[in-house]
Amino acid sequence: MGQQRSPGEAMDANNLWLIEGLFAEYCADPQAVDASWRAYFDALGSGAASAAAPDPMSNASTRAPEPQPQLAQLIAAYRDHGHLAAVVDPLGGAPAGHPQLSLAAHGFVPADLERQYSPAALGGGPRSLRQIVAQLEQVYCRSIGAQLAHIDDLDVRTWLQQRLEQQTSVAPARAAERLRILRKLTDAETWETFVHRKFLGARRFSLEGAESLIPLLDTAIAQAAEHGVQEMIIGMAHRGRLNVMVNILGKSAQRIFEEFDDKAGRASRGPGDVKYHLGHSSDVRSSAGAPIHLSLCFNPSHLGFVGPVVAGRARAKQDLAGDTGRKHTVPLVIHGDAAFAGQGVTQEMLNMSMLPGYDCGGTVHVVVNNQVGFTTSPSMARSSHYATDVARMLDVPIFHVNGEDPEAVTRVAKLALDFRAHFGRDVVIDMVCYRRLGHNEGDEPTFTQPLMYQQIAQHRTVRELYAEALLAGGSVDAAQVTQMVEDCKARLETELARAKDGEGPPAATPKGVAVRDVWQPFVDQTTAAADAVPTAVPGATLTALSDALTRLPQGFTPHAKITRLLEGRREMGHGQKPLDWGAAETLAYASLLHEGVSIRLSGQDCGRGTFSHRHALLCDQKDGTAYFPLQHLAGAKGRFGAWDSPLSETGVVGFDYGYSLDDPEALVIWEAQYGDFANGAQVIIDQFIATSEQKWRRLSGLTMLLPHGFEGAGPEHSSARLERFLSLAADDNMQVAQPTTPAQIFHLLRRQVRQRLRRPLIVMSPKSLLRAAAAVSSLQDLCEGGFATVLGDPEQSMQKAERVVLCSGKIYYDLLAARRERAMGNVAIVRLEQLYPNPEPQLAEVLAEFNPQAPVVWAQEEPRNMGAWPHLRLTYGDRLLGRWSLSCVAREASASPATGSAAQHQREQASILQRALG
């Protein structure tokens, strides 16, 4: 007996295209198909395999079945592929087009153009095919190309299609809007030409060719304010940055002219960066008069890397304000086309956008598409059709818009902000334009782009073209257009005169938004503020917190090993057994939460901890329910979040650094799975973390936990590259520590937020010491004292010592064991727990009684060209504190941090111990 076929499968194959067309129309609008077909498709959707299909050629359907499926397919083709036929290139590049956009592809013939149809999916009454096609062309193939086919979420696609296909979406702008657009274009163009004329040869990274960015931002801000947004965080590269500062954020042109003249630099050798990298913030009012605070983030020349910083800042502001809907602060990032396609941080940021620990309610991405990257053509810069194709990984719209149609640009800006407000997701605007000049004003673009720049040289500006269109339509008269330009020039001349005369800046405008100055307590900080900070916690408090942390909710089924771990931690909290690393670290968090400090812990596997020491996240073994004991402390005033991150370093570290910029009272921690994984975030470390105060004049209290220690795990998982951080250390810009006891990490973490000092803390955290029997502390150690930057020898008197071995980290315990084994009573071992800022007073105090004629040996596990030795050698030379001879025992200098052979590792380690102890 043959296999039974469903009714649909049994139909004549010649009729299947009719059914497919009806199904496409049903998906777009169920009411658009006949009731019998609707019932059939409903039945199939509910799993009824035996549902009988109507005869597609019968008269049972009240619709003419032949043309309707064809029409549904045509409409779907425009929705999916129309963007490929959109006229978005202001330089006249021909659209790619798509074969499915032809009438013939769907079986239509010219005679069908005047035939009447009722396209329910488009709304409206009966009209000719010619009118329907004209509507589809107007919506999908003019100055806006909406890329939606990659979106699987039907609600999102339907919402976008309805908004695009509404008549209002293509209606011309009102007269007042047109005047504002023209004014913004005039401001943008006049600024560039004025600066070019007055500061000939100076780099400004002109916006010329992309002036529509200014009305785009102006409209986006206004639309955001309409949705109740109180603050917008903006990130962008250097192109057009000065223009945006003046014409969007309202920065005084006088100040920028002074920066061009470099008056501050001539007066003193201060820190900072070039003017087109700096940030700015201000309170402005939208075009409708609504107040909104704007913050333009500082940005280095590493394009795209500011993106996650912007998102992190927005998330911090949302968390501080209790904005769980993520409505009141919007991140907006302006990208270049080459950077959006070429920099991997773009993908990392997009991937993070909807994860619970990194969601900020959607970032608005604006791509200023110059159609060239420095000198590189798109064909050499990417393998995809669009610069924005990486964004297709998300169920979000990508709008390609002709930058020479400013009204289309502002329509897209409104729609983008509406989408973000409605769905809380990212949205991408690809504004296709051009770059009138070279990469900078002194660069010659025709070397590599001769044809493009021959065309650009003959191309009129977007302001000129738009003004001409408004004049032709009667929206403005010639006198208004001229007056706009003259008024703008006059303002800039006045500002320039003030800058040259050395007058003070104009009076500050009243703030339109009350912004809490969360950084006020930390403005006048000094390194001395870190000394002697009380971090001890009463024993009764620690015991109570320990009990709360080890008490599970009723019905929760922990892993058997977790049960034993909690029992052990309960005993530790009562002083019945020494505390290990995980217990002390957790009590540090709990005590801070109890005192009102919020904690954000982020990183790969950070909830459990890479080495299973933390267990801030517990999972029910029956149903997988997650439970965070630190979120359930009675009376705790702080928030706690442990966010397992995606397999990303650059994006996540950038996000957490951004978070630390806007919540200085919180303990913000990024933990590397292995310390060497920080390599993947080196741009963030170099350009933001290490230079935050020097270059950007912004404080950050970000803490980085980097597992570090040579235990035979090979070159990939031994070194967190301590030497790199120490090579970046200067002017007290950061703190670098390598604590060796649970009590030390307890006091160090508490010190980071209890001191009136906010600078990054880099912790070389342990691996084997997490469970080492020797690396324990008593409960009393947490109840008294504080973080000790230097630890003296608890077993050896300095007066009797004939040799001091100075070290840091895990090797201390190896040296201690070797000394005990050899019964060496004449060697003292001193630990540097803080490597930077250099703890010279504390070190001098510990060594005060040591014989000045005796040697000090620095012992480290790392090769001589790595670890702390290069920093110590640079700092002290061959005499420590000017008194003791200083030498080093280490592995031989090497290009790789460690050997991959466990046996060789053991031989090297034994040699270091023998030579260090003498």
Side-chain angles (χ1 to χ4, degrees):
M1 189 173 174
Q3 184 178 5
Q4 186 175 0
R5 301 181 59 157
S6 70
E9 292 174 315
M11 290 182 182
D12 189 331
N14 293 330
N15 292 331
L16 288 179
W17 69 273
L18 294 174
I19 299 173
E20 291 170 356
L22 286 167
F23 182 68
E25 192 168 0
Y26 167 85
C27 291
D29 181 3
Q31 300 303 317
V33 301
D34 179 82
S36 60
W37 280 103
R38 190 160 62 248
Y40 170 64
F41 291 134
D42 287 344
L44 290 181
S46 65
S50 61
D55 181 355
M57 300 302 294
S58 73
N59 295 324
S61 173
T62 58
R63 289 185 174 273
E66 183 177 351
Q68 290 302 138
Q70 293 171 274
L71 184 59
Q73 292 168 355
L74 179 65
I75 293 171
Y78 270 94
R79 288 169 170 173
D80 289 350
H81 310 301
H83 61 91
L84 292 168
V87 185
V88 296
D89 184 359
L91 298 180
H98 194 280
Q100 287 296 308
L101 298 178
S102 72
L103 293 176
H106 303 283
F108 289 107
V109 295
D112 292 327
L113 284 171
E114 306 308 325
R115 186 174 177 178
Q116 295 291 303
Y117 296 90
S118 298
L122 293 177
R127 51 199 183 276
S128 70
L129 179 61
R130 186 186 303 277
Q131 291 172 318
I132 293 169
V133 171
Q135 179 186 356
L136 292 169
E137 289 279 336
Q138 179 67 30
V139 172
Y140 291 107
C141 302
R142 292 293 184 260
S143 294
I144 300 171
Q147 196 172 3
L148 312 177
H150 60 281
I151 300 175
D152 295 324
D153 189 321
L154 184 59
D155 289 339
V156 171
R157 287 191 66 171
T158 301
W159 187 91
L160 288 164
Q161 288 165 0
Q162 290 175 348
R163 286 296 305 271
L164 287 164
E165 292 164 7
Q166 288 170 357
Q167 289 301 314
T168 53
S169 69
V170 293
R174 297 190 301 271
E177 291 176 317
R178 286 176 163 175
L179 281 175
R180 187 170 181 90
I181 291 171
L182 180 59
R183 189 173 293 110
K184 287 297 177 182
L185 289 173
T186 301
D187 290 343
E189 181 181 301
T190 306
W191 166 263
E192 298 295 353
T193 56
F194 185 88
V195 173
H196 181 72
R197 189 173 65 255
K198 299 295 184 178
F199 299 93
L200 192 62
R203 288 189 179 188
R204 69 182 192 277
F205 291 97
S206 164
L207 190 62
E208 290 169 275
E211 292 93 339
S212 289
L213 177 66
I214 300 302
L216 185 156
L217 294 175
D218 180 64
T219 302
I221 291 164
Q223 198 70 7
E226 287 291 312
H227 290 294
V229 173
Q230 299 169 358
E231 187 160 3
M232 183 175 283
I233 315 294
I234 304 172
M236 68 180 299
H238 41 278
R239 182 160 313 287
R241 190 178 191 86
L242 300 181
N243 206 318
V244 169
M245 282 186 179
V246 172
N247 292 314
I248 295 297
L249 283 89
K251 182 175 180 177
S252 165
Q254 174 187 342
R255 284 289 172 251
I256 294 182
F257 294 149
E258 289 171 350
E259 291 165 358
F260 271 109
D261 201 33
D262 202 16
K263 288 184 177 180
R266 291 202 304 270
S268 64
R269 292 183 60 211
D273 205 316
V274 291
K275 54 190 167 293
Y276 41 80
H277 285 174
L278 300 178
H280 187 71
S281 64
S282 61
D283 294 311
V284 303
R285 290 191 176 274
S286 72
S287 57
I292 187 168
H293 184 74
L294 304 179
S295 296
L296 176 64
C297 286
F298 44 84
N299 189 71
S301 285
H302 290 70
L303 304 183
F305 286 84
V306 76
V309 176
V310 169
R313 290 192 61 192
R315 174 62 178 257
K317 289 177 180 291
Q318 292 163 354
D319 288 352
L320 268 176
D323 179 16
T324 56
R326 318 220 174 273
K327 301 290 188 182
H328 299 150
T329 301
V330 170
L332 184 149
V333 181
I334 303 166
H335 309 259
D337 51 315
F340 197 87
Q343 293 287 357
V345 69
T346 304
Q347 184 275 339
E348 292 188 29
M349 186 181 179
L350 293 169
N351 184 54
M352 292 161 56
S353 66
M354 296 176 68
L355 303 180
Y358 310 90
D359 175 19
C360 54
T363 298
V364 179
H365 299 272
V366 178
V367 178
V368 178
N369 192 338
N370 294 312
Q371 306 186 72
V372 61
F374 199 160
T375 68
T376 305
S377 300
S379 61
M380 296 290 189
R382 61 179 187 265
S383 298
S384 59
H385 180 71
Y386 290 120
T388 54
D389 277 344
V390 67
R392 292 167 62 187
M393 65 187 290
L394 301 180
D395 271 6
V396 302
I398 304 169
F399 298 111
H400 309 280
V401 59
N402 191 321
E404 208 158 72
D405 186 344
E407 290 185 19
V409 168
T410 56
R411 281 201 302 273
V412 163
K414 291 178 183 178
L415 182 55
L417 269 296
D418 289 348
F419 176 84
R420 193 261 179 198
H422 190 82
F423 289 100
R425 301 186 187 184
D426 285 23
V427 59
V428 179
I429 301 173
D430 176 22
M431 189 183 80
V432 184
C433 48
Y434 58 91
R435 189 185 67 200
R436 184 166 291 277
L437 304 175
H439 177 67
N440 60 60
E441 287 65 39
D443 185 51
E444 178 50 71
T446 58
F447 286 156
T448 56
Q449 306 292 334
L451 300 182
M452 172 187 273
Y453 277 88
Q454 288 171 21
Q455 188 175 0
I456 290 173
Q458 305 300 317
H459 206 71
R460 299 170 66 195
T461 70
V462 62
R463 184 201 66 84
E464 291 172 337
L465 293 170
Y466 189 59
E468 184 178 278
L470 295 189
L471 286 168
S475 298
V476 296
D477 56 46
Q480 283 178 289
V481 174
T482 301
Q483 192 61 48
M484 280 186 190
V485 176
E486 293 305 318
D487 289 348
C488 190
K489 287 180 180 177
R491 288 195 303 271
L492 295 177
E493 288 284 4
T494 300
E495 294 288 292
L496 181 60
R498 285 176 176 160
K500 289 182 176 180
D501 293 342
E503 292 184 19
T509 54
K511 287 193 174 184
V513 181
V515 179
R516 177 185 169 214
D517 190 356
V518 294
W519 280 104
Q520 192 59 43
F522 308 98
V523 170
D524 297 322
Q525 62 178 329
T526 63
T527 304
D531 297 337
V533 177
T535 55
V537 177
T541 301
L542 292 174
T543 299
L545 291 171
S546 178
D547 286 346
L549 290 169
T550 56
R551 189 182 306 118
L552 297 178
Q554 187 174 3
F556 187 91
T557 306
H559 192 283
K561 291 183 178 179
I562 294 297
T563 300
R564 292 193 295 273
L565 178 137
L566 294 179
E567 290 172 354
R569 287 191 178 177
R570 189 178 299 112
E571 294 174 354
M572 295 175 191
H574 284 263
Q576 297 168 359
K577 61 188 298 187
L579 286 91
D580 62 15
W581 202 276
E585 181 190 336
T586 303
L587 285 174
Y589 299 146
S591 61
L592 289 171
L593 293 167
H594 180 72
E595 295 164 7
V597 175
S598 293
I599 298 169
R600 174 185 171 85
L601 174 63
S602 165
Q604 294 155 22
D605 312 297
C606 71
R608 188 201 77 175
T610 297
F611 308 101
S612 297
H613 84 284
R614 179 174 295 120
H615 294 292
L617 163 65
L618 306 180
C619 291
D620 189 294
Q621 296 300 294
K622 290 184 176 178
D623 60 17
T625 302
Y627 178 71
F628 295 87
L630 286 163
Q631 293 179 351
H632 299 276
L633 295 174
K637 305 178 188 69
R639 306 180 311 274
F640 176 80
W643 305 106
D644 285 349
S645 75
L647 193 61
S648 156
E649 287 81 39
T650 295
V652 175
V653 175
F655 188 99
D656 288 329
Y657 167 75
Y659 197 101
S660 74
L661 294 178
D662 283 274
D663 193 354
E665 300 284 1
L667 178 60
V668 183
I669 301 173
W670 176 74
E671 181 178 58
Q673 189 179 67
Y674 288 89
D676 58 291
F677 286 9
N679 288 350
Q682 201 63 48
V683 170
I684 301 296
I685 294 166
D686 290 350
Q687 298 297 331
F688 292 103
I689 295 171
T691 57
S692 189
E693 192 172 353
Q694 288 268 320
K695 285 175 64 175
W696 313 124
R697 308 181 195 277
R698 289 300 305 269
L699 304 176
S700 166
L702 178 66
T703 296
M704 301 177 70
L705 302 181
L706 310 179
H708 176 86
F710 284 59
E711 289 131 347
E716 299 304 315
H717 299 316
S718 295
S719 176
R721 295 292 192 171
L722 171 62
E723 65 279 357
R724 292 185 181 174
F725 293 97
L726 292 175
S727 72
L728 294 169
D731 296 321
D732 296 332
N733 64 326
M734 65 173 73
Q735 307 157 95
V736 182
Q738 192 167 17
T740 55
T741 72
Q744 282 285 81
I745 191 64
F746 174 87
H747 290 296
L748 178 61
L749 291 173
R750 287 182 52 80
R751 186 188 78 166
Q752 179 66 355
V753 285
R754 282 290 160 231
Q755 62 192 359
R756 292 291 88 183
L757 177 76
R758 287 296 178 269
R759 283 175 184 147
L761 170 63
I762 314 301
V763 182
M764 299 288 115
S765 58
K767 295 180 291 180
S768 63
L769 297 189
L770 296 174
R771 293 177 184 79
V776 294
S777 299
S778 69
L779 186 65
Q780 191 61 32
D781 291 335
L782 278 56
C783 304
E784 58 188 28
F787 177 71
T789 57
V790 181
L791 288 176
D793 194 324
E795 301 179 0
Q796 177 65 53
S797 166
M798 284 296 162
Q799 287 181 318
K800 298 179 180 179
E802 299 174 5
R803 180 185 185 90
V804 166
V805 179
L806 197 60
C807 66
S808 184
K810 178 190 77 70
I811 196 172
Y812 164 75
Y813 292 97
D814 296 336
L815 289 164
L816 184 63
R819 186 181 69 177
R820 288 172 177 171
E821 181 181 341
R822 301 174 191 181
M824 302 179 71
N826 62 341
V827 178
I829 306 173
V830 175
R831 284 168 279 176
L832 281 186
E833 299 282 288
Q834 178 174 293
L835 294 158
Y836 190 83
N838 302 317
E840 293 187 6
Q842 295 84 355
L843 183 58
E845 182 180 350
V846 169
L847 296 178
E849 297 181 351
F850 182 54
N851 181 0
Q853 305 305 315
V856 174
V857 176
W858 172 258
Q860 66 178 37
E861 297 180 303
E862 303 89 345
R864 289 180 65 87
N865 58 320
M866 301 178 191
W869 176 241
H871 170 75
L872 294 173
R873 185 71 172 174
L874 181 65
T875 302
Y876 299 113
D878 58 4
R879 296 200 69 79
L880 180 63
L881 302 177
R883 299 181 64 188
W884 297 278
S885 64
L886 180 63
S887 60
C888 174
V889 171
R891 284 175 166 81
E892 292 299 318
S894 171
S896 179
T899 177
S901 164
Q904 184 178 342
H905 164 79
Q906 293 295 340
R907 288 195 301 271
E908 292 173 349
Q909 197 77 356
S911 174
I912 290 173
L913 299 179
Q914 181 178 0
R915 288 181 290 133
L917 294 172

